[in-house]
Each structure stands twice: as C-alpha cells, then as structure tokens.
Amino acid sequence: MSGNWYNMKSNAAVSGPFGTLPVMDWGSTRIGQTEAIAGYLYHKLGHGEGGTPEKAAMSAAITSLGHQDMIVLCIQLVNVVGSMSGITDEQVTQSVQSCQARVNSILPHLETLINNASTEYLLGDTPCMGDYFAMEALDVVTLVLGESMLDGFPECKNFRDRMQERPKIKEYMVAGSRPLTLTGTAQEVSVMMMLKSIQKL
C-alpha cells in the first residue's frame, strides 16, 4: 500500500494499535513501532538462536542508536527545515550544523565498534538486526548531510558499503523498490536540494 505517510497514520486500518507508522503484519500478528518490529524480526528470523541475552541487548542497543540518534535525527532536520516558512540560508546552516555535531559525536564510537569486531559483522559471524540499522543509519546520514560526513571514518564507510553488497540488499536497492523519500512530505525534494546547496558552502 502506498500513500502519504501522515494520511496513512490517521487510517486505523493501516496505522495499528497506536495510530502510528510503521506497522508490520506477520500472519495474525500486528506490531507497531520501528524498534519493536526490529526486535520481533530479530527473533523470528533466527538472529537470536544460540545467542545470549547480552548479545540480544547489544543488538537492540545498536538498533536504537541507529534509529533514534541518527535516522530520526536526520528526518527531523528535513521536517524542521521544510516546516519553516521563509527560512534563510543562515537558519538552514545552523540546523545542519546542529545535526552534524550530534552525528559527529556518535560516529567515533561506531567506528571503534566496527574496528573492534572480530568478523565483518558487529556481533558475530552473521549480521544481527543492529548491523542492518547501522548500515541504514550511515546511509541516511550521508543522504541528508553528505558523503563527506564519513570522511575520517573509513570503517563506517566500508561497513556500510559491505552491507549494501549483501545479495538481497543489493537486489532490493538495484530494483528500485526502496522508497525515494524519507518523510513523504511535498516539501522534501526542495528541502533536500537546499541541504545539498548548504553542503557546498
């Protein structure tokens, strides 16, 4: 089903138990909220098999970091800039710099985590849910704030690129199935153009 994100939230048949998105239906089970869906899939798809409570908690922590502190932060930047009528370049620049500062406070820790991993994945021989959220977070950061955000963080860049080469992820991205927008708002295209012009200053 496609449609405006905000309109879909008001549709009780779509928006689930809390009137929010995303929502996932798995058989007769309906789950709302991004991190709850991630936790469900972590176990449902077998990521938790043979693992420990500590590993599950760490995967959840990475998932939350990627989602709340990076992805949502960047989406909020797009929404804030898009909602301000007559916003000046100076105001956009200030908003961008604030977002950059927060992301730059996270990236060194993520760089260390990736560097210290004993395999190509964060917590073991196979990817956990945290790997997927870290990849998506790094991708969204570069989409909104520019590829230069990963300058000085080669492990983060290599990790993102490596994850995106996983066959099913690569197939998904090449097929054009991935949504082209982050927010679904009419202003997003002009906001992204504005952000790109700020990056060049």
Side-chain angles (χ1 to χ4, degrees):
M1 179 181 290
S2 62
N4 183 280
W5 183 267
Y6 296 100
N7 291 340
M8 291 171 70
K9 281 186 176 184
S10 63
N11 183 343
V14 176
S15 59
F18 306 116
T20 61
L21 293 175
V23 167
M24 182 188 73
D25 291 315
W26 187 294
S28 61
T29 301
R30 169 165 282 193
I31 301 172
Q33 302 296 89
T34 298
E35 291 172 42
I37 293 170
Y40 180 83
L41 291 175
Y42 179 86
H43 294 284
K44 195 71 174 179
L45 299 179
H47 292 305
E49 292 179 4
T52 64
E54 290 77 16
K55 180 178 177 180
M58 188 61 178
S59 177
I62 298 168
T63 296
S64 180
L65 176 76
H67 179 238
Q68 293 292 340
D69 293 273
M70 299 175 76
I71 296 172
V72 170
L73 181 73
C74 289
I75 290 174
Q76 286 175 340
L77 172 64
V78 174
N79 283 331
V80 167
V81 172
S83 66
M84 293 178 65
S85 178
I87 190 171
T88 65
D89 285 350
E90 182 180 0
Q91 290 172 317
V92 176
T93 299
Q94 290 173 348
S95 297
V96 168
Q97 288 174 342
S98 177
C99 188
Q100 287 174 329
R102 175 58 184 148
V103 172
N104 276 326
S105 73
I106 296 170
L107 288 175
H109 300 286
L110 194 53
E111 181 84 358
T112 299
L113 180 65
I114 297 168
N115 189 52
N116 289 344
S118 57
T119 71
E120 61 181 324
Y121 304 114
L122 298 177
L123 300 179
D125 294 328
T126 57
C128 65
M129 192 56 66
D131 287 279
Y132 294 107
F133 270 82
M135 174 205 72
E136 179 70 5
L138 291 167
D139 197 49
V140 169
V141 162
T142 57
L143 177 65
V144 174
L145 298 175
E147 186 69 21
S148 63
M149 285 297 295
L150 298 187
D151 290 351
F153 301 104
E155 296 291 345
C156 288
K157 184 178 187 304
N158 291 338
F159 173 83
R160 178 203 61 184
D161 295 347
R162 187 166 63 245
M163 285 291 293
Q164 290 182 345
E165 285 297 314
R166 287 181 58 79
K168 290 186 178 180
I169 295 177
K170 186 174 183 178
E171 179 183 354
Y172 169 72
M173 297 181 74
V174 170
S177 301
R178 190 183 193 190
L180 299 178
T181 63
L182 295 171
T183 65
T185 61
Q187 303 96 324
E188 183 172 331
V189 173
S190 60
V191 169
M192 295 299 287
M193 291 178 62
M194 197 181 304
L195 295 179
K196 288 186 184 300
S197 69
I198 293 296
Q199 293 166 18
K200 296 176 182 178
L201 295 179

